Amino acid sequence: MSPTSSTSSSAPRDPERDAVPAGAPLARELTIGQLAERSGVAHSALRYYEDEGLITSRRTSGNQRRYSRDTLRRVAFIRVSQNVGIPLATIRAALAELPENRTPTPEDWARVSAGWRADLDARIAVLEQLRNGLTECIGCGCLSLSSCQLANPNDVLSRNGPGPCRFTGC
């Protein structure tokens, strides 16, 4: 680390020092700080994604991480996928289908996410059923699906096993 570098990520930024001159080529690789700033994802999350095999970096001779520019798209894909509830294992499998030697195209992204539509539709249906069922239950005031004579007469769902069988289909 150079004497002028800071270990604190909260150090004030110097826009003039950090600005890329007009017409200057973009760096081919990003530091973890640049990737964090551009993606809006914390350094710790980026390291976690790397540990989980979702993104990759190379190490410099000083053991600093360097990310290819297409990692920005991968991080965006991870974040959007997480926001709709896709598990990291599923995201990892999708990312494994993408090319390593070039920036993925919109067609690549569409291909890897196409299989998620049925899963999302099924989860939406469960959430709608849950929303509609809760409205009915709250309307009667008992708030107990196991003893409610309207939603679960005589606790018939207990035969299906423990847990929220009405909404998960146990």
PDB file of all heavy atoms in Angstrom, residues 54-55 69-81 90-99 102-117:
ATOM      1  N   LEU A  54     -19.446 -16.727  -7.860  1.00  0.00           N
ATOM      2  CA  LEU A  54     -20.370 -15.997  -8.725  1.00  0.00           C
ATOM      3  C   LEU A  54     -19.631 -15.022  -9.639  1.00  0.00           C
ATOM      4  O   LEU A  54     -20.094 -14.732 -10.741  1.00  0.00           O
ATOM      5  CB  LEU A  54     -21.391 -15.235  -7.876  1.00  0.00           C
ATOM      6  CG  LEU A  54     -22.262 -16.103  -6.966  1.00  0.00           C
ATOM      7  CD1 LEU A  54     -23.028 -15.257  -5.980  1.00  0.00           C
ATOM      8  CD2 LEU A  54     -23.194 -16.958  -7.790  1.00  0.00           C
ATOM      9  N   ILE A  55     -18.524 -14.483  -9.161  1.00  0.00           N
ATOM     10  CA  ILE A  55     -17.678 -13.608  -9.967  1.00  0.00           C
ATOM     11  C   ILE A  55     -16.231 -14.042  -9.759  1.00  0.00           C
ATOM     12  O   ILE A  55     -15.928 -14.771  -8.806  1.00  0.00           O
ATOM     13  CB  ILE A  55     -17.840 -12.106  -9.610  1.00  0.00           C
ATOM     14  CG1 ILE A  55     -17.467 -11.834  -8.151  1.00  0.00           C
ATOM     15  CG2 ILE A  55     -19.255 -11.622  -9.921  1.00  0.00           C
ATOM     16  CD1 ILE A  55     -17.478 -10.355  -7.765  1.00  0.00           C
ATOM     17  N   ARG A  69     -14.245  -5.763 -16.851  1.00  0.00           N
ATOM     18  CA  ARG A  69     -15.364  -4.817 -16.900  1.00  0.00           C
ATOM     19  C   ARG A  69     -16.719  -5.527 -16.978  1.00  0.00           C
ATOM     20  O   ARG A  69     -17.717  -5.025 -16.479  1.00  0.00           O
ATOM     21  CB  ARG A  69     -15.190  -3.846 -18.064  1.00  0.00           C
ATOM     22  CG  ARG A  69     -13.957  -2.942 -17.873  1.00  0.00           C
ATOM     23  CD  ARG A  69     -13.916  -1.823 -18.863  1.00  0.00           C
ATOM     24  NE  ARG A  69     -14.984  -0.868 -18.630  1.00  0.00           N
ATOM     25  CZ  ARG A  69     -14.995   0.048 -17.654  1.00  0.00           C
ATOM     26  NH1 ARG A  69     -14.002   0.122 -16.817  1.00  0.00           N
ATOM     27  NH2 ARG A  69     -15.990   0.886 -17.537  1.00  0.00           N
ATOM     28  N   ASP A  70     -16.770  -6.705 -17.598  1.00  0.00           N
ATOM     29  CA  ASP A  70     -18.059  -7.404 -17.709  1.00  0.00           C
ATOM     30  C   ASP A  70     -18.563  -7.882 -16.349  1.00  0.00           C
ATOM     31  O   ASP A  70     -19.722  -8.271 -16.221  1.00  0.00           O
ATOM     32  CB  ASP A  70     -17.981  -8.562 -18.706  1.00  0.00           C
ATOM     33  CG  ASP A  70     -17.028  -9.653 -18.276  1.00  0.00           C
ATOM     34  OD1 ASP A  70     -15.807  -9.424 -18.345  1.00  0.00           O
ATOM     35  OD2 ASP A  70     -17.505 -10.727 -17.882  1.00  0.00           O
ATOM     36  N   THR A  71     -17.718  -7.824 -15.318  1.00  0.00           N
ATOM     37  CA  THR A  71     -18.165  -8.195 -13.972  1.00  0.00           C
ATOM     38  C   THR A  71     -19.270  -7.265 -13.492  1.00  0.00           C
ATOM     39  O   THR A  71     -20.141  -7.671 -12.721  1.00  0.00           O
ATOM     40  CB  THR A  71     -16.975  -8.202 -12.992  1.00  0.00           C
ATOM     41  OG1 THR A  71     -15.949  -9.058 -13.522  1.00  0.00           O
ATOM     42  CG2 THR A  71     -17.377  -8.704 -11.624  1.00  0.00           C
ATOM     43  N   LEU A  72     -19.275  -6.012 -13.975  1.00  0.00           N
ATOM     44  CA  LEU A  72     -20.362  -5.092 -13.625  1.00  0.00           C
ATOM     45  C   LEU A  72     -21.715  -5.672 -14.008  1.00  0.00           C
ATOM     46  O   LEU A  72     -22.673  -5.603 -13.245  1.00  0.00           O
ATOM     47  CB  LEU A  72     -20.174  -3.740 -14.318  1.00  0.00           C
ATOM     48  CG  LEU A  72     -19.207  -2.775 -13.657  1.00  0.00           C
ATOM     49  CD1 LEU A  72     -18.871  -1.632 -14.609  1.00  0.00           C
ATOM     50  CD2 LEU A  72     -19.796  -2.260 -12.359  1.00  0.00           C
ATOM     51  N   ARG A  73     -21.800  -6.251 -15.194  1.00  0.00           N
ATOM     52  CA  ARG A  73     -23.072  -6.848 -15.635  1.00  0.00           C
ATOM     53  C   ARG A  73     -23.420  -8.068 -14.805  1.00  0.00           C
ATOM     54  O   ARG A  73     -24.578  -8.308 -14.487  1.00  0.00           O
ATOM     55  CB  ARG A  73     -23.002  -7.215 -17.106  1.00  0.00           C
ATOM     56  CG  ARG A  73     -22.972  -6.009 -17.999  1.00  0.00           C
ATOM     57  CD  ARG A  73     -23.040  -6.398 -19.438  1.00  0.00           C
ATOM     58  NE  ARG A  73     -22.739  -5.232 -20.256  1.00  0.00           N
ATOM     59  CZ  ARG A  73     -23.135  -5.113 -21.490  1.00  0.00           C
ATOM     60  NH1 ARG A  73     -23.843  -6.054 -22.064  1.00  0.00           N
ATOM     61  NH2 ARG A  73     -22.828  -4.042 -22.171  1.00  0.00           N
ATOM     62  N   ARG A  74     -22.415  -8.855 -14.482  1.00  0.00           N
ATOM     63  CA  ARG A  74     -22.664 -10.044 -13.662  1.00  0.00           C
ATOM     64  C   ARG A  74     -23.181  -9.653 -12.279  1.00  0.00           C
ATOM     65  O   ARG A  74     -24.115 -10.269 -11.763  1.00  0.00           O
ATOM     66  CB  ARG A  74     -21.400 -10.893 -13.548  1.00  0.00           C
ATOM     67  CG  ARG A  74     -21.035 -11.554 -14.857  1.00  0.00           C
ATOM     68  CD  ARG A  74     -19.701 -12.288 -14.762  1.00  0.00           C
ATOM     69  NE  ARG A  74     -19.294 -12.751 -16.070  1.00  0.00           N
ATOM     70  CZ  ARG A  74     -19.554 -13.944 -16.573  1.00  0.00           C
ATOM     71  NH1 ARG A  74     -20.213 -14.827 -15.855  1.00  0.00           N
ATOM     72  NH2 ARG A  74     -19.178 -14.276 -17.783  1.00  0.00           N
ATOM     73  N   VAL A  75     -22.586  -8.635 -11.680  1.00  0.00           N
ATOM     74  CA  VAL A  75     -23.034  -8.182 -10.361  1.00  0.00           C
ATOM     75  C   VAL A  75     -24.467  -7.647 -10.450  1.00  0.00           C
ATOM     76  O   VAL A  75     -25.302  -7.943  -9.592  1.00  0.00           O
ATOM     77  CB  VAL A  75     -22.067  -7.132  -9.766  1.00  0.00           C
ATOM     78  CG1 VAL A  75     -22.637  -6.497  -8.504  1.00  0.00           C
ATOM     79  CG2 VAL A  75     -20.703  -7.764  -9.478  1.00  0.00           C
ATOM     80  N   ALA A  76     -24.772  -6.897 -11.495  1.00  0.00           N
ATOM     81  CA  ALA A  76     -26.143  -6.398 -11.678  1.00  0.00           C
ATOM     82  C   ALA A  76     -27.120  -7.572 -11.808  1.00  0.00           C
ATOM     83  O   ALA A  76     -28.199  -7.565 -11.216  1.00  0.00           O
ATOM     84  CB  ALA A  76     -26.218  -5.491 -12.902  1.00  0.00           C
ATOM     85  N   PHE A  77     -26.733  -8.579 -12.569  1.00  0.00           N
ATOM     86  CA  PHE A  77     -27.569  -9.772 -12.744  1.00  0.00           C
ATOM     87  C   PHE A  77     -27.789 -10.472 -11.402  1.00  0.00           C
ATOM     88  O   PHE A  77     -28.912 -10.871 -11.073  1.00  0.00           O
ATOM     89  CB  PHE A  77     -26.884 -10.716 -13.741  1.00  0.00           C
ATOM     90  CG  PHE A  77     -27.637 -11.975 -14.023  1.00  0.00           C
ATOM     91  CD1 PHE A  77     -28.721 -11.965 -14.879  1.00  0.00           C
ATOM     92  CD2 PHE A  77     -27.254 -13.174 -13.442  1.00  0.00           C
ATOM     93  CE1 PHE A  77     -29.413 -13.141 -15.162  1.00  0.00           C
ATOM     94  CE2 PHE A  77     -27.937 -14.347 -13.715  1.00  0.00           C
ATOM     95  CZ  PHE A  77     -29.021 -14.333 -14.573  1.00  0.00           C
ATOM     96  N   ILE A  78     -26.740 -10.594 -10.602  1.00  0.00           N
ATOM     97  CA  ILE A  78     -26.849 -11.229  -9.284  1.00  0.00           C
ATOM     98  C   ILE A  78     -27.824 -10.453  -8.410  1.00  0.00           C
ATOM     99  O   ILE A  78     -28.714 -11.030  -7.785  1.00  0.00           O
ATOM    100  CB  ILE A  78     -25.465 -11.323  -8.604  1.00  0.00           C
ATOM    101  CG1 ILE A  78     -24.551 -12.283  -9.374  1.00  0.00           C
ATOM    102  CG2 ILE A  78     -25.597 -11.747  -7.143  1.00  0.00           C
ATOM    103  CD1 ILE A  78     -23.069 -12.160  -9.008  1.00  0.00           C
ATOM    104  N   ARG A  79     -27.674  -9.134  -8.360  1.00  0.00           N
ATOM    105  CA  ARG A  79     -28.517  -8.310  -7.501  1.00  0.00           C
ATOM    106  C   ARG A  79     -29.983  -8.366  -7.925  1.00  0.00           C
ATOM    107  O   ARG A  79     -30.876  -8.497  -7.085  1.00  0.00           O
ATOM    108  CB  ARG A  79     -28.025  -6.856  -7.496  1.00  0.00           C
ATOM    109  CG  ARG A  79     -26.634  -6.692  -6.925  1.00  0.00           C
ATOM    110  CD  ARG A  79     -26.530  -7.138  -5.507  1.00  0.00           C
ATOM    111  NE  ARG A  79     -27.333  -6.250  -4.690  1.00  0.00           N
ATOM    112  CZ  ARG A  79     -27.539  -6.377  -3.405  1.00  0.00           C
ATOM    113  NH1 ARG A  79     -27.025  -7.375  -2.758  1.00  0.00           N
ATOM    114  NH2 ARG A  79     -28.281  -5.516  -2.753  1.00  0.00           N
ATOM    115  N   VAL A  80     -30.243  -8.252  -9.211  1.00  0.00           N
ATOM    116  CA  VAL A  80     -31.632  -8.316  -9.692  1.00  0.00           C
ATOM    117  C   VAL A  80     -32.210  -9.700  -9.394  1.00  0.00           C
ATOM    118  O   VAL A  80     -33.355  -9.825  -8.940  1.00  0.00           O
ATOM    119  CB  VAL A  80     -31.708  -7.976 -11.193  1.00  0.00           C
ATOM    120  CG1 VAL A  80     -33.072  -8.309 -11.767  1.00  0.00           C
ATOM    121  CG2 VAL A  80     -31.380  -6.507 -11.416  1.00  0.00           C
ATOM    122  N   SER A  81     -31.426 -10.733  -9.625  1.00  0.00           N
ATOM    123  CA  SER A  81     -31.887 -12.101  -9.353  1.00  0.00           C
ATOM    124  C   SER A  81     -32.214 -12.284  -7.882  1.00  0.00           C
ATOM    125  O   SER A  81     -33.239 -12.880  -7.534  1.00  0.00           O
ATOM    126  CB  SER A  81     -30.823 -13.108  -9.790  1.00  0.00           C
ATOM    127  OG  SER A  81     -30.527 -12.966 -11.158  1.00  0.00           O
ATOM    128  N   THR A  90     -28.874 -21.187  -7.641  1.00  0.00           N
ATOM    129  CA  THR A  90     -29.489 -21.095  -8.972  1.00  0.00           C
ATOM    130  C   THR A  90     -28.807 -20.010  -9.796  1.00  0.00           C
ATOM    131  O   THR A  90     -28.571 -20.177 -10.995  1.00  0.00           O
ATOM    132  CB  THR A  90     -31.003 -20.808  -8.834  1.00  0.00           C
ATOM    133  OG1 THR A  90     -31.580 -21.826  -8.004  1.00  0.00           O
ATOM    134  CG2 THR A  90     -31.696 -20.799 -10.180  1.00  0.00           C
ATOM    135  N   ILE A  91     -28.469 -18.900  -9.145  1.00  0.00           N
ATOM    136  CA  ILE A  91     -27.757 -17.819  -9.831  1.00  0.00           C
ATOM    137  C   ILE A  91     -26.389 -18.318 -10.290  1.00  0.00           C
ATOM    138  O   ILE A  91     -25.971 -18.068 -11.421  1.00  0.00           O
ATOM    139  CB  ILE A  91     -27.623 -16.589  -8.910  1.00  0.00           C
ATOM    140  CG1 ILE A  91     -28.998 -16.014  -8.574  1.00  0.00           C
ATOM    141  CG2 ILE A  91     -26.733 -15.534  -9.555  1.00  0.00           C
ATOM    142  CD1 ILE A  91     -28.982 -14.970  -7.473  1.00  0.00           C
ATOM    143  N   ARG A  92     -25.687 -19.061  -9.422  1.00  0.00           N
ATOM    144  CA  ARG A  92     -24.373 -19.601  -9.765  1.00  0.00           C
ATOM    145  C   ARG A  92     -24.467 -20.510 -10.981  1.00  0.00           C
ATOM    146  O   ARG A  92     -23.637 -20.433 -11.897  1.00  0.00           O
ATOM    147  CB  ARG A  92     -23.785 -20.368  -8.582  1.00  0.00           C
ATOM    148  CG  ARG A  92     -22.390 -20.905  -8.834  1.00  0.00           C
ATOM    149  CD  ARG A  92     -21.826 -21.736  -7.681  1.00  0.00           C
ATOM    150  NE  ARG A  92     -21.903 -21.056  -6.400  1.00  0.00           N
ATOM    151  CZ  ARG A  92     -22.803 -21.341  -5.439  1.00  0.00           C
ATOM    152  NH1 ARG A  92     -23.690 -22.299  -5.615  1.00  0.00           N
ATOM    153  NH2 ARG A  92     -22.801 -20.674  -4.315  1.00  0.00           N
ATOM    154  N   ALA A  93     -25.473 -21.368 -11.013  1.00  0.00           N
ATOM    155  CA  ALA A  93     -25.647 -22.271 -12.153  1.00  0.00           C
ATOM    156  C   ALA A  93     -25.900 -21.489 -13.438  1.00  0.00           C
ATOM    157  O   ALA A  93     -25.379 -21.832 -14.506  1.00  0.00           O
ATOM    158  CB  ALA A  93     -26.793 -23.247 -11.883  1.00  0.00           C
ATOM    159  N   ALA A  94     -26.691 -20.431 -13.336  1.00  0.00           N
ATOM    160  CA  ALA A  94     -26.973 -19.602 -14.520  1.00  0.00           C
ATOM    161  C   ALA A  94     -25.706 -18.909 -15.005  1.00  0.00           C
ATOM    162  O   ALA A  94     -25.420 -18.878 -16.207  1.00  0.00           O
ATOM    163  CB  ALA A  94     -28.054 -18.579 -14.198  1.00  0.00           C
ATOM    164  N   LEU A  95     -24.939 -18.352 -14.080  1.00  0.00           N
ATOM    165  CA  LEU A  95     -23.710 -17.658 -14.456  1.00  0.00           C
ATOM    166  C   LEU A  95     -22.687 -18.614 -15.068  1.00  0.00           C
ATOM    167  O   LEU A  95     -21.894 -18.218 -15.921  1.00  0.00           O
ATOM    168  CB  LEU A  95     -23.115 -16.930 -13.247  1.00  0.00           C
ATOM    169  CG  LEU A  95     -23.901 -15.713 -12.765  1.00  0.00           C
ATOM    170  CD1 LEU A  95     -23.358 -15.209 -11.438  1.00  0.00           C
ATOM    171  CD2 LEU A  95     -23.893 -14.609 -13.810  1.00  0.00           C
ATOM    172  N   ALA A  96     -22.716 -19.877 -14.645  1.00  0.00           N
ATOM    173  CA  ALA A  96     -21.786 -20.873 -15.200  1.00  0.00           C
ATOM    174  C   ALA A  96     -22.061 -21.132 -16.675  1.00  0.00           C
ATOM    175  O   ALA A  96     -21.177 -21.595 -17.402  1.00  0.00           O
ATOM    176  CB  ALA A  96     -21.880 -22.176 -14.399  1.00  0.00           C
ATOM    177  N   GLU A  97     -23.274 -20.832 -17.126  1.00  0.00           N
ATOM    178  CA  GLU A  97     -23.628 -21.023 -18.537  1.00  0.00           C
ATOM    179  C   GLU A  97     -23.168 -19.871 -19.425  1.00  0.00           C
ATOM    180  O   GLU A  97     -23.235 -19.971 -20.644  1.00  0.00           O
ATOM    181  CB  GLU A  97     -25.142 -21.177 -18.672  1.00  0.00           C
ATOM    182  CG  GLU A  97     -25.701 -22.418 -18.019  1.00  0.00           C
ATOM    183  CD  GLU A  97     -27.210 -22.507 -18.178  1.00  0.00           C
ATOM    184  OE1 GLU A  97     -27.736 -21.971 -19.178  1.00  0.00           O
ATOM    185  OE2 GLU A  97     -27.851 -23.094 -17.308  1.00  0.00           O
ATOM    186  N   LEU A  98     -22.720 -18.775 -18.818  1.00  0.00           N
ATOM    187  CA  LEU A  98     -22.311 -17.607 -19.600  1.00  0.00           C
ATOM    188  C   LEU A  98     -20.872 -17.750 -20.075  1.00  0.00           C
ATOM    189  O   LEU A  98     -20.060 -18.410 -19.426  1.00  0.00           O
ATOM    190  CB  LEU A  98     -22.462 -16.339 -18.762  1.00  0.00           C
ATOM    191  CG  LEU A  98     -23.896 -15.978 -18.396  1.00  0.00           C
ATOM    192  CD1 LEU A  98     -23.913 -14.799 -17.444  1.00  0.00           C
ATOM    193  CD2 LEU A  98     -24.713 -15.675 -19.639  1.00  0.00           C
ATOM    194  N   PRO A  99     -20.542 -17.102 -21.188  1.00  0.00           N
ATOM    195  CA  PRO A  99     -19.183 -17.206 -21.728  1.00  0.00           C
ATOM    196  C   PRO A  99     -18.165 -16.517 -20.827  1.00  0.00           C
ATOM    197  O   PRO A  99     -18.448 -15.480 -20.235  1.00  0.00           O
ATOM    198  CB  PRO A  99     -19.284 -16.490 -23.080  1.00  0.00           C
ATOM    199  CG  PRO A  99     -20.424 -15.546 -22.912  1.00  0.00           C
ATOM    200  CD  PRO A  99     -21.390 -16.231 -21.988  1.00  0.00           C
ATOM    201  N   ARG A 102     -15.927 -13.411 -23.212  1.00  0.00           N
ATOM    202  CA  ARG A 102     -16.513 -12.193 -23.783  1.00  0.00           C
ATOM    203  C   ARG A 102     -17.629 -11.692 -22.874  1.00  0.00           C
ATOM    204  O   ARG A 102     -18.123 -12.417 -22.021  1.00  0.00           O
ATOM    205  CB  ARG A 102     -17.061 -12.451 -25.182  1.00  0.00           C
ATOM    206  CG  ARG A 102     -18.244 -13.413 -25.221  1.00  0.00           C
ATOM    207  CD  ARG A 102     -18.870 -13.486 -26.625  1.00  0.00           C
ATOM    208  NE  ARG A 102     -19.807 -14.569 -26.732  1.00  0.00           N
ATOM    209  CZ  ARG A 102     -21.064 -14.532 -26.285  1.00  0.00           C
ATOM    210  NH1 ARG A 102     -21.530 -13.460 -25.702  1.00  0.00           N
ATOM    211  NH2 ARG A 102     -21.862 -15.581 -26.437  1.00  0.00           N
ATOM    212  N   THR A 103     -17.989 -10.445 -23.086  1.00  0.00           N
ATOM    213  CA  THR A 103     -19.097  -9.874 -22.324  1.00  0.00           C
ATOM    214  C   THR A 103     -20.387 -10.546 -22.789  1.00  0.00           C
ATOM    215  O   THR A 103     -20.641 -10.650 -23.990  1.00  0.00           O
ATOM    216  CB  THR A 103     -19.183  -8.357 -22.572  1.00  0.00           C
ATOM    217  OG1 THR A 103     -17.956  -7.771 -22.139  1.00  0.00           O
ATOM    218  CG2 THR A 103     -20.347  -7.737 -21.821  1.00  0.00           C
ATOM    219  N   PRO A 104     -21.192 -11.039 -21.851  1.00  0.00           N
ATOM    220  CA  PRO A 104     -22.457 -11.672 -22.243  1.00  0.00           C
ATOM    221  C   PRO A 104     -23.363 -10.694 -22.982  1.00  0.00           C
ATOM    222  O   PRO A 104     -23.415  -9.507 -22.674  1.00  0.00           O
ATOM    223  CB  PRO A 104     -23.070 -12.090 -20.913  1.00  0.00           C
ATOM    224  CG  PRO A 104     -21.908 -12.188 -19.982  1.00  0.00           C
ATOM    225  CD  PRO A 104     -20.945 -11.127 -20.425  1.00  0.00           C
ATOM    226  N   THR A 105     -24.076 -11.205 -23.945  1.00  0.00           N
ATOM    227  CA  THR A 105     -25.012 -10.410 -24.742  1.00  0.00           C
ATOM    228  C   THR A 105     -26.392 -10.436 -24.085  1.00  0.00           C
ATOM    229  O   THR A 105     -26.656 -11.278 -23.215  1.00  0.00           O
ATOM    230  CB  THR A 105     -25.139 -10.997 -26.161  1.00  0.00           C
ATOM    231  OG1 THR A 105     -25.714 -12.315 -26.041  1.00  0.00           O
ATOM    232  CG2 THR A 105     -23.787 -11.080 -26.860  1.00  0.00           C
ATOM    233  N   PRO A 106     -27.291  -9.559 -24.524  1.00  0.00           N
ATOM    234  CA  PRO A 106     -28.673  -9.635 -24.015  1.00  0.00           C
ATOM    235  C   PRO A 106     -29.300 -11.011 -24.271  1.00  0.00           C
ATOM    236  O   PRO A 106     -30.078 -11.498 -23.448  1.00  0.00           O
ATOM    237  CB  PRO A 106     -29.399  -8.537 -24.794  1.00  0.00           C
ATOM    238  CG  PRO A 106     -28.331  -7.536 -25.097  1.00  0.00           C
ATOM    239  CD  PRO A 106     -27.092  -8.365 -25.359  1.00  0.00           C
ATOM    240  N   GLU A 107     -28.931 -11.644 -25.364  1.00  0.00           N
ATOM    241  CA  GLU A 107     -29.462 -12.971 -25.659  1.00  0.00           C
ATOM    242  C   GLU A 107     -28.963 -13.998 -24.641  1.00  0.00           C
ATOM    243  O   GLU A 107     -29.698 -14.899 -24.239  1.00  0.00           O
ATOM    244  CB  GLU A 107     -29.086 -13.406 -27.082  1.00  0.00           C
ATOM    245  CG  GLU A 107     -29.760 -12.605 -28.181  1.00  0.00           C
ATOM    246  CD  GLU A 107     -29.124 -11.219 -28.415  1.00  0.00           C
ATOM    247  OE1 GLU A 107     -27.948 -10.989 -28.033  1.00  0.00           O
ATOM    248  OE2 GLU A 107     -29.826 -10.352 -28.971  1.00  0.00           O
ATOM    249  N   ASP A 108     -27.674 -13.862 -24.242  1.00  0.00           N
ATOM    250  CA  ASP A 108     -27.128 -14.755 -23.219  1.00  0.00           C
ATOM    251  C   ASP A 108     -27.910 -14.605 -21.921  1.00  0.00           C
ATOM    252  O   ASP A 108     -28.297 -15.595 -21.294  1.00  0.00           O
ATOM    253  CB  ASP A 108     -25.654 -14.440 -22.941  1.00  0.00           C
ATOM    254  CG  ASP A 108     -24.730 -14.773 -24.095  1.00  0.00           C
ATOM    255  OD1 ASP A 108     -24.980 -15.766 -24.804  1.00  0.00           O
ATOM    256  OD2 ASP A 108     -23.738 -14.032 -24.282  1.00  0.00           O
ATOM    257  N   TRP A 109     -28.142 -13.353 -21.510  1.00  0.00           N
ATOM    258  CA  TRP A 109     -28.878 -13.108 -20.262  1.00  0.00           C
ATOM    259  C   TRP A 109     -30.301 -13.654 -20.356  1.00  0.00           C
ATOM    260  O   TRP A 109     -30.813 -14.237 -19.401  1.00  0.00           O
ATOM    261  CB  TRP A 109     -28.917 -11.618 -19.936  1.00  0.00           C
ATOM    262  CG  TRP A 109     -27.570 -11.030 -19.615  1.00  0.00           C
ATOM    263  CD1 TRP A 109     -26.936 -10.043 -20.302  1.00  0.00           C
ATOM    264  CD2 TRP A 109     -26.701 -11.383 -18.548  1.00  0.00           C
ATOM    265  NE1 TRP A 109     -25.729  -9.766 -19.718  1.00  0.00           N
ATOM    266  CE2 TRP A 109     -25.554 -10.572 -18.640  1.00  0.00           C
ATOM    267  CE3 TRP A 109     -26.777 -12.317 -17.513  1.00  0.00           C
ATOM    268  CZ2 TRP A 109     -24.488 -10.659 -17.734  1.00  0.00           C
ATOM    269  CZ3 TRP A 109     -25.716 -12.394 -16.609  1.00  0.00           C
ATOM    270  CH2 TRP A 109     -24.599 -11.578 -16.735  1.00  0.00           C
ATOM    271  N   ALA A 110     -30.946 -13.448 -21.503  1.00  0.00           N
ATOM    272  CA  ALA A 110     -32.319 -13.939 -21.673  1.00  0.00           C
ATOM    273  C   ALA A 110     -32.362 -15.461 -21.586  1.00  0.00           C
ATOM    274  O   ALA A 110     -33.267 -16.030 -20.968  1.00  0.00           O
ATOM    275  CB  ALA A 110     -32.880 -13.457 -23.011  1.00  0.00           C
ATOM    276  N   ARG A 111     -31.376 -16.114 -22.173  1.00  0.00           N
ATOM    277  CA  ARG A 111     -31.326 -17.577 -22.158  1.00  0.00           C
ATOM    278  C   ARG A 111     -31.186 -18.120 -20.740  1.00  0.00           C
ATOM    279  O   ARG A 111     -31.902 -19.035 -20.340  1.00  0.00           O
ATOM    280  CB  ARG A 111     -30.181 -18.068 -23.044  1.00  0.00           C
ATOM    281  CG  ARG A 111     -30.071 -19.576 -23.142  1.00  0.00           C
ATOM    282  CD  ARG A 111     -28.946 -20.029 -24.087  1.00  0.00           C
ATOM    283  NE  ARG A 111     -27.748 -19.229 -24.108  1.00  0.00           N
ATOM    284  CZ  ARG A 111     -26.779 -19.238 -23.175  1.00  0.00           C
ATOM    285  NH1 ARG A 111     -26.885 -20.006 -22.137  1.00  0.00           N
ATOM    286  NH2 ARG A 111     -25.717 -18.475 -23.288  1.00  0.00           N
ATOM    287  N   VAL A 112     -30.260 -17.556 -19.958  1.00  0.00           N
ATOM    288  CA  VAL A 112     -30.034 -18.104 -18.620  1.00  0.00           C
ATOM    289  C   VAL A 112     -31.178 -17.800 -17.659  1.00  0.00           C
ATOM    290  O   VAL A 112     -31.401 -18.539 -16.708  1.00  0.00           O
ATOM    291  CB  VAL A 112     -28.693 -17.651 -18.002  1.00  0.00           C
ATOM    292  CG1 VAL A 112     -27.531 -18.108 -18.826  1.00  0.00           C
ATOM    293  CG2 VAL A 112     -28.644 -16.175 -17.767  1.00  0.00           C
ATOM    294  N   SER A 113     -31.917 -16.733 -17.899  1.00  0.00           N
ATOM    295  CA  SER A 113     -33.010 -16.399 -16.987  1.00  0.00           C
ATOM    296  C   SER A 113     -34.368 -16.923 -17.439  1.00  0.00           C
ATOM    297  O   SER A 113     -35.324 -16.888 -16.671  1.00  0.00           O
ATOM    298  CB  SER A 113     -33.079 -14.882 -16.783  1.00  0.00           C
ATOM    299  OG  SER A 113     -33.371 -14.237 -17.996  1.00  0.00           O
ATOM    300  N   ALA A 114     -34.454 -17.448 -18.643  1.00  0.00           N
ATOM    301  CA  ALA A 114     -35.747 -17.912 -19.174  1.00  0.00           C
ATOM    302  C   ALA A 114     -36.370 -19.010 -18.321  1.00  0.00           C
ATOM    303  O   ALA A 114     -37.584 -19.033 -18.122  1.00  0.00           O
ATOM    304  CB  ALA A 114     -35.578 -18.402 -20.613  1.00  0.00           C
ATOM    305  N   GLY A 115     -35.572 -19.890 -17.800  1.00  0.00           N
ATOM    306  CA  GLY A 115     -36.096 -20.987 -16.987  1.00  0.00           C
ATOM    307  C   GLY A 115     -36.670 -20.540 -15.656  1.00  0.00           C
ATOM    308  O   GLY A 115     -37.350 -21.304 -14.978  1.00  0.00           O
ATOM    309  N   TRP A 116     -36.383 -19.325 -15.267  1.00  0.00           N
ATOM    310  CA  TRP A 116     -36.865 -18.836 -13.978  1.00  0.00           C
ATOM    311  C   TRP A 116     -38.302 -18.365 -14.033  1.00  0.00           C
ATOM    312  O   TRP A 116     -38.949 -18.210 -13.003  1.00  0.00           O
ATOM    313  CB  TRP A 116     -35.989 -17.693 -13.496  1.00  0.00           C
ATOM    314  CG  TRP A 116     -34.571 -18.081 -13.252  1.00  0.00           C
ATOM    315  CD1 TRP A 116     -34.041 -19.347 -13.266  1.00  0.00           C
ATOM    316  CD2 TRP A 116     -33.490 -17.211 -12.968  1.00  0.00           C
ATOM    317  NE1 TRP A 116     -32.708 -19.297 -13.005  1.00  0.00           N
ATOM    318  CE2 TRP A 116     -32.335 -18.004 -12.817  1.00  0.00           C
ATOM    319  CE3 TRP A 116     -33.384 -15.838 -12.831  1.00  0.00           C
ATOM    320  CZ2 TRP A 116     -31.102 -17.460 -12.518  1.00  0.00           C
ATOM    321  CZ3 TRP A 116     -32.149 -15.300 -12.531  1.00  0.00           C
ATOM    322  CH2 TRP A 116     -31.025 -16.107 -12.381  1.00  0.00           C
ATOM    323  N   ARG A 117     -38.843 -18.152 -15.193  1.00  0.00           N
ATOM    324  CA  ARG A 117     -40.198 -17.610 -15.304  1.00  0.00           C
ATOM    325  C   ARG A 117     -41.232 -18.525 -14.637  1.00  0.00           C
ATOM    326  O   ARG A 117     -42.081 -18.054 -13.878  1.00  0.00           O
ATOM    327  CB  ARG A 117     -40.566 -17.365 -16.759  1.00  0.00           C
ATOM    328  CG  ARG A 117     -41.923 -16.709 -16.891  1.00  0.00           C
ATOM    329  CD  ARG A 117     -42.237 -16.312 -18.331  1.00  0.00           C
ATOM    330  NE  ARG A 117     -43.481 -15.629 -18.386  1.00  0.00           N
ATOM    331  CZ  ARG A 117     -43.659 -14.321 -18.204  1.00  0.00           C
ATOM    332  NH1 ARG A 117     -42.618 -13.557 -17.977  1.00  0.00           N
ATOM    333  NH2 ARG A 117     -44.840 -13.771 -18.249  1.00  0.00           N
TER     334      ARG A 117
END
